[in-house]
Amino acid sequence: MNQLAIILVDDEPMMLEGLAEELQRNFGQDYQIEAAQSGEEAIELIEELGAEGIETAAVISDYLMPGIKGDELLCQIHAQYPNILKIMLTGQAAADAVGNAVNSANLYRYIAKPWDATDLHLTVKEALRKYLQIKKVEEQNAQLRENEQRLTQILEAMPIGVTVHDNAGQITYANQKAKELLQLDILPETKVDRLSTDFKVYQARTNELYPTEKLPLVRALAGETVHAEDLEIHYFDRSVPLEVSATPIRDKTGQILQAIAAFQDISDRKQAEAEREQFTQELCQLNEAFSRFVPRQFLQSLARKNITEIQLGESIEKKLSVMFADIRAFTTISEQMTPEDTFKFINGYLRRMEPAIIENSGFIDKYIGDEIMALFEGSADNAVNSGVMMLKLLAEYNKSRQQRDRQPIEIGIGINTGNLRLGTVGGNFRIDTTVIGDAVNLGSRLQQLTKVYKTPLLISHYTLAGIEEPMKYALRFVAQVQVRGKTQKVGVFEVFEADPPAQKQAKLETKSMFELAVIRYYQGAIGEAKFLFGRCLEKNPGDTAAQIYWERCA
């Protein structure tokens, strides 16, 4: 606060000096005591002090003076400086002069001469206290006005709309952005029950007015703090989605006086969200498409989350069952078709076989023309179950083909189990996933042997060893083969679980005899083997494997 002064005005020097000494003794520590011998001098003194940054808190003036009289002086001071406290100290003022000072100059107090020291002290002290109170209130009001102005400037500069409503819903303030969004020239007289109608507020993506009781502002006037994004303002030519937040404003007792709402046009955000959702869907579709080229299980085996993480040359060794399934005489079949029909035929077949692999925890590594190469983790039962299921699905498919006078399809399936190396191969511009190892080669070899023994499903003794319950399958030992480059021979077993019931039963009845015949054949006891194979054919003339062996023996 600036330094303060008290100005004394009297044309009698002795009286002025005594009054100055009296006030200097009581107030000189906090106030600068100044004296003037005329009204004109007093006014000049106030201006000079003001120029020096010294505020005049009170003026104590005599009435009867040459030139400007006391009441006139105080009126002039009041007109220019209304906050200065005015005291008249005289013994000669008439009632009309005092009345003029009271009415026109807001006279604080009249003190008669000669003054009582105690009365003078208390009067000046109370006047100064009142001046400081007025000054403090004015400073607070000025600060409040400054804060309000600053707040208004901030609100006007904000890119979101802000409105303040009284407890009846009437708008008492709206910033420029709010006026733009609500298309307001002046603040309308709007009540709560007409907010949606007057401002054309609708539920998002509908032509239904927003329910009054659910409006964020109405809920805020009821005491809630609300955030909502399901509102739209409908203009003549377009709709604008809004994000709205509303909160109540309470007094010291907790009563709701007003509510403030902040809202903004979120068209860009909604468009961005829609584009992001579309992008996400496209990305999911792309990932789904990629997964049809690179199975998720392959990525998981390489400890990769998506295809972008795969690097050329990565590989890992795992124990898997590998299956090769091939259509018999495909070349002959395709020669009777156009290229377009050939593609339709292959895809129709593969589409029917695929579920048998997926449902048995396998995944298709690749299609090689009409041939399927699939991999199975865990128990070898998964691969064998898949092969059996494929043959049963094929039997159903062949029934529908025969109804349309189409040639039935025959396939051969070979399954082997062992350690394989999964990884990526290729160059800088093209890579592919693959599996490498002797177990893969043997699986392919078994598939080729199905043509030799004219049986649809063969497995190795490695796969048989990996089956958890081998007795649940109809199978028999059918051959012993030498793998190229290996000294150990491999046992080959036919799984005839999917054979027609009569054929399956006949093979079960001759199983022991057939397996003994195979053993004798590989032991070199050809005559005994031929006899046993002949006995098998007597009981099961349709046993193609027994027929092939019998012919070999012959």
Side-chain angles (χ1 to χ4, degrees), residues 54 100 121 215 254 344 475:
I54 301 173
N100 181 43
H121 177 266
L215 283 168
K344 291 180 179 179
L475 55 82

Side-chain angles (χ1 to χ4, degrees), residues 220-463:
L221 289 172
E224 293 185 63
T225 297
V226 186
H227 179 86
E229 295 185 12
D230 59 344
L231 302 88
E232 286 180 349
I233 289 184
H234 284 195
Y235 300 130
F236 174 73
D237 57 344
R238 70 190 193 282
S239 299
V240 174
L242 295 181
E243 177 187 37
V244 182
S245 296
T247 188
I249 301 174
R250 303 176 186 270
D251 61 15
K252 293 181 180 179
T253 66
Q255 294 295 316
I256 297 174
L257 298 177
Q258 297 173 309
I260 185 169
F263 47 95
Q264 62 179 329
D265 179 352
I266 54 174
S267 300
D268 291 343
R269 185 204 303 172
K270 290 294 185 181
Q271 182 178 354
E273 289 175 354
E275 291 174 353
R276 183 171 63 249
E277 183 178 354
Q278 181 179 356
F279 174 76
T280 301
Q281 291 177 350
E282 291 174 355
L283 188 60
C284 289
Q285 292 171 356
L286 184 61
N287 286 335
E288 184 67 25
F290 271 126
S291 71
R292 298 170 73 181
F293 288 95
V294 180
R296 293 188 182 90
Q297 296 91 330
F298 208 104
L299 294 176
Q300 293 168 358
S301 296
L302 294 177
R304 295 291 181 263
K305 293 182 180 179
N306 58 65
I307 194 170
T308 61
E309 298 178 1
I310 293 181
Q311 301 295 322
L312 178 63
E314 287 187 273
S315 66
I316 186 172
E317 185 172 295
K318 301 193 75 171
K319 185 174 183 180
L320 301 169
S321 294
V322 57
M323 169 197 286
F324 287 88
D326 185 60
I327 298 178
R328 299 261 179 86
F330 174 72
T331 302
T332 303
I333 296 173
S334 63
E335 286 176 349
Q336 303 171 18
M337 303 180 185
T338 65
E340 182 180 359
D341 289 339
T342 301
F343 269 98
K344 291 180 179 179
F345 165 72
I346 292 176
N347 289 328
Y349 160 74
L350 296 177
R351 186 172 60 251
R352 287 170 172 80
M353 296 298 105
E354 185 181 60
I357 297 169
I358 304 302
E359 292 175 17
N360 286 284
S361 304
F363 65 94
I364 297 170
D365 177 55
K366 60 175 60 69
Y367 295 112
I368 310 168
D370 62 300
E371 186 174 40
I372 300 172
M373 179 180 176
L375 301 172
F376 299 82
E377 290 192 82
S379 168
D381 293 73
N382 293 330
V384 176
N385 287 335
S386 177
V388 172
M389 185 175 176
M390 287 172 69
L391 293 173
K392 291 181 178 180
L393 290 172
L394 181 65
E396 293 298 321
Y397 182 37
N398 279 331
K399 288 180 181 179
S400 66
R401 287 180 61 83
Q402 289 173 345
Q403 291 174 358
R404 298 193 296 271
D405 295 327
R406 293 180 180 176
Q407 181 181 350
I409 302 171
E410 294 183 6
I411 64 173
I413 302 173
I415 300 174
N416 184 39
T417 304
N419 291 329
L420 311 175
R421 196 84 191 172
L422 290 83
T424 56
V425 295
N428 293 330
F429 300 100
R430 175 75 167 86
I431 65 173
D432 198 2
T433 57
T434 192
V435 288
I436 297 173
D438 291 338
V440 178
N441 299 333
L442 180 55
S444 179
R445 174 79 181 280
L446 291 173
Q447 185 276 125
Q448 294 169 8
L449 287 176
T450 61
K451 302 174 185 177
V452 175
Y453 294 99
K454 293 182 172 49
T455 185
L457 176 54
L458 295 178
I459 65 173
S460 69
H461 71 264
Y462 300 113
T463 299

Side-chain angles (χ1 to χ4, degrees), residues 138-268:
E138 283 191 343
E139 289 177 351
Q140 290 175 342
N141 289 338
Q143 183 65 45
L144 181 60
R145 287 192 297 271
E146 183 181 348
N147 291 341
E148 289 178 347
Q149 184 178 11
R150 186 179 297 111
L151 177 60
T152 300
Q153 290 174 343
I154 293 173
L155 292 176
E156 291 299 324
M158 290 180 69
I160 63 175
V162 177
T163 56
V164 180
H165 301 251
D166 63 20
N167 53 19
Q170 174 70 36
I171 296 180
T172 58
Y173 169 79
N175 70 350
Q176 185 59 38
K177 191 63 179 179
K179 291 177 181 177
E180 291 176 8
L181 289 171
L182 299 177
Q183 295 187 331
L184 301 177
D185 294 325
I186 59 173
L187 299 184
E189 295 184 3
T190 301
K191 301 302 181 183
V192 165
D193 58 352
R194 289 195 54 81
L195 286 172
S196 293
T197 303
D198 290 351
F199 297 119
K200 298 179 177 60
V201 181
Y202 289 78
Q203 290 183 306
R205 298 178 297 279
T206 73
N207 289 318
E208 297 180 9
L209 285 170
Y210 205 91
T212 299
E213 68 277 5
K214 293 184 180 180
L215 283 168
L217 176 68
V218 175
R219 293 168 62 186
L221 289 172
E224 293 185 63
T225 297
V226 186
H227 179 86
E229 295 185 12
D230 59 344
L231 302 88
E232 286 180 349
I233 289 184
H234 284 195
Y235 300 130
F236 174 73
D237 57 344
R238 70 190 193 282
S239 299
V240 174
L242 295 181
E243 177 187 37
V244 182
S245 296
T247 188
I249 301 174
R250 303 176 186 270
D251 61 15
K252 293 181 180 179
T253 66
Q255 294 295 316
I256 297 174
L257 298 177
Q258 297 173 309
I260 185 169
F263 47 95
Q264 62 179 329
D265 179 352
I266 54 174
S267 300
D268 291 343

